[in-house]
Amino acid sequence: MEQYVIKGGNPLVGEVEIGGAKNAALGILAAAIMTDETVIIDNLPNVRDINVLLSAMEGIGAKIERLGEHRVKINGSLIHDLSVDYEYINKIRASYYLLGALLGKYKKAEVAFPGGCAIGTRPIDLHLKGFRALGADVDIQHGLISATAEHLVGNHIYLDKVSVGATINIMMAASMAEGKTIIENAAKEPHVVDVANFLNSMGANIRGAGTDVIRIVGVEKLHKTEYSIIPDQIEAGTFMFAAAATKGDVTVKNVIPKHLEATTAKLIEIGCEVEEFDDAVRVVSSKPLHHTQVTTLPYPGFPTDMQPQMSVLLALAEGTSTVTESIFENRFKYVDELTRMGAQVKVESNIAIITGVEKYTGARVSAPDLRAGAALVIAGLAAEGITIVDDIYYIERGYEHFEEKLASLGAMIEKVSSEKEIQKFTLKVS
C-alpha cells in the first residue's frame, strides 16, 4: 500500500497546470461508443477512474488506442457484449454512464451496480425513472441493472432532485430516441454542458445544457468527432485551497475562471486575494483567515466536492465557522482524522461546527474518500511536523501526479510504499 509522507510548513509558491475534468471525461468516454465511427478525445486526465472505465469499455469490445498520456482514440463499432459485469466496474460510480450510452445506441444494456467513494447513498432511481419514461423496461437483479426497449421515444421528464448523473445518463439515451425529450430540473454543472457539447459535436441535437431545462431532439445515428475536455474545476479548487492553507502564492493555469466562482468567492470572503486572468487564477494568502458559513449546493452553488478542502481551511481560520453538507449525508468521515491533527470540529447531523486553531500538527491519517483524502494532504502541507496519509489510492482516483504537482510548488511530499521509505524521508527532512 502506498502513502504520502509530508513535512508541512512550506508555503506553496509558483504555477500549476490543471488537467481535464474527470467528471466530464467519464460521461464523454461512455458517450464515445454511441457512434460506429472513430472518436478522438483530448485533455483526458490520466487518473484511476478513467483507466478503469476505458478497461471496462475494452471488455465489451470497444477499440481503445492511447495516442498519448492525455489523448485517446475510441471506436465502438465492434461492441459485442451489452453486459458490463466487469471485475473493476463496481469501483467507480460512473460505470452507470454505460447504461445510457448502450441503451441509446443498442436499446439494450446491462451494467453492474455502481461503486465509488462511500460518501453516502447516491440513488440511481432518477436514472431508472428517466429510462422508463423513454420507454425502457428496467430491472435490478443479482447486482445488475438491465434496461431494454423495442424503441426509445422522447418524453417530458421532471427530475425530483437535481442529479448530475441522471441528467447525463438520460441525455445520452434521449439523444438517440425517437422525437423530442425535455429534461426539467436538470443539473447545470460544467461537466453536464461538456457532455452535451461532445454529443452535439457527434451530431446530437441538445439545447439548454447549463440551464435547468434541456431539450433534446433524437437522431438516428451519431458520427465521428475530435473533442477536448474542459479543465477540472475541483482539481483547480484543491490547489487554490492548498495555496490558502499554506500562506502561499499560487497561479492555477488552464482553468475556466467562471467555473470557479463559488470557490473564489469564499476564498475572498475569508481573507485571501484572488486575481483572475483569461485562463488562470492566482491565489495569495498573506493575512489571517476569517470564519464564515458555507452550504454545499448544486452548481452554481458551492460544490460538495470542495467541502472537505473548505473545512480544512476554516479549521485554521479565526472564530467559529459552520459547513452545511446538503448533497451527501456521509461526507464528514474525514473529521476524525482532522481532529488527530489538532482541528476542533464538531459534527451535528449534516453541519460541521468548526472552531479555528492556530496550527495543525503532523499525524498519521487515512484518506476515507477521494476529496477528503486531498483535503488531508492540504492539512499535512499546513501542519507542523510530519504527516503520513494512508489509502492514497482514493486520491489517485481523481488527481493526476498530485504529489509531483505539489512538489513543484515547494511542498515537501513524497509517495512511498514502505515504513523504511517513510523513515528515510523523515531523516532527510529533519
Side-chain angles (χ1 to χ4, degrees), residues 42-319:
D42 259 324
N43 203 31
L44 188 73
N46 184 13
V47 295
R48 193 170 296 209
D49 275 14
I50 296 298
N51 298 327
V52 169
L53 185 60
L54 285 171
S55 299
M57 287 160 59
E58 249 178 338
I60 59 171
K63 191 174 176 217
I64 309 286
E65 192 185 332
R66 295 306 281 252
L67 304 175
E69 196 181 5
H70 302 118
R71 186 172 161 90
V72 70
K73 189 198 276 192
I74 297 169
N75 186 290
S77 63
L78 298 175
I79 286 174
H80 51 73
D81 190 353
L82 303 182
S83 178
V84 190
D85 184 15
Y86 185 70
E87 60 181 304
Y88 297 121
I89 206 70
N90 65 358
K91 291 181 182 176
I92 62 162
R93 187 92 194 141
S95 58
Y96 57 37
Y97 287 144
L98 291 170
L99 268 175
L102 293 171
L103 182 63
K105 185 179 181 185
Y106 298 105
K107 312 301 177 259
K108 186 174 191 304
E110 190 174 70
V111 171
F113 213 85
C117 284
I119 55 177
T121 56
R122 296 198 259 188
I124 200 165
D125 55 335
L126 291 175
H127 303 238
L128 309 188
K129 172 187 169 175
F131 296 151
R132 288 187 181 113
L134 296 172
D137 290 322
V138 183
D139 198 18
I140 300 177
Q141 278 186 342
H142 311 300
L144 292 172
I145 304 161
S146 69
T148 51
E150 286 281 315
H151 307 280
L152 291 178
V153 181
N155 204 342
H156 196 128
I157 299 164
Y158 179 83
L159 297 179
D160 307 320
K161 196 176 171 192
V162 175
S163 164
V164 170
T167 301
I168 290 174
N169 235 341
I170 296 164
M171 197 164 66
M172 286 197 284
S175 66
M176 292 186 81
E178 295 165 18
K180 293 181 182 176
T181 297
I182 296 173
I183 306 171
E184 279 204 73
N185 200 28
K188 298 182 278 204
E189 269 72 3
H191 42 287
V192 173
V193 179
D194 211 31
V195 176
N197 288 343
F198 172 73
L199 285 163
N200 284 340
S201 78
M202 290 202 298
N205 185 347
I206 302 168
R207 298 288 173 268
T211 74
D212 53 11
V213 181
I214 297 176
R215 292 180 166 81
I216 303 160
V217 179
V219 297
E220 261 181 58
K221 61 177 193 170
L222 299 170
H223 55 67
K224 66 180 180 181
T225 189
E226 191 164 331
Y227 192 83
S228 186
I229 291 164
I230 57 168
D232 195 313
Q233 73 191 81
I234 305 303
E235 186 194 4
T238 301
F239 278 98
M240 289 163 74
F241 279 29
T246 60
K247 298 288 176 212
D249 178 348
V250 173
T251 301
V252 182
K253 297 169 77 178
N254 184 35
V255 297
I256 299 170
K258 179 147 188 60
H259 294 170
L260 300 167
E261 281 175 352
T263 301
T264 299
K266 283 296 168 194
L267 282 171
I268 292 168
E269 196 180 313
I270 64 172
C272 295
E273 293 167 55
V274 181
E275 199 179 343
E276 285 186 6
F277 305 94
D278 286 346
D279 62 352
V281 174
R282 180 184 178 201
V283 177
V284 182
S285 176
S286 56
K287 304 182 186 97
L289 302 177
H290 320 302
H291 60 90
T292 191
Q293 277 71 47
V294 181
T295 300
T296 62
L297 290 165
Y299 187 84
F302 191 86
T304 179
D305 277 357
M306 285 302 303
Q307 182 260 98
Q309 300 91 311
M310 185 80 210
S311 296
V312 162
L313 204 49
L314 292 177
L316 292 170
E318 53 191 30

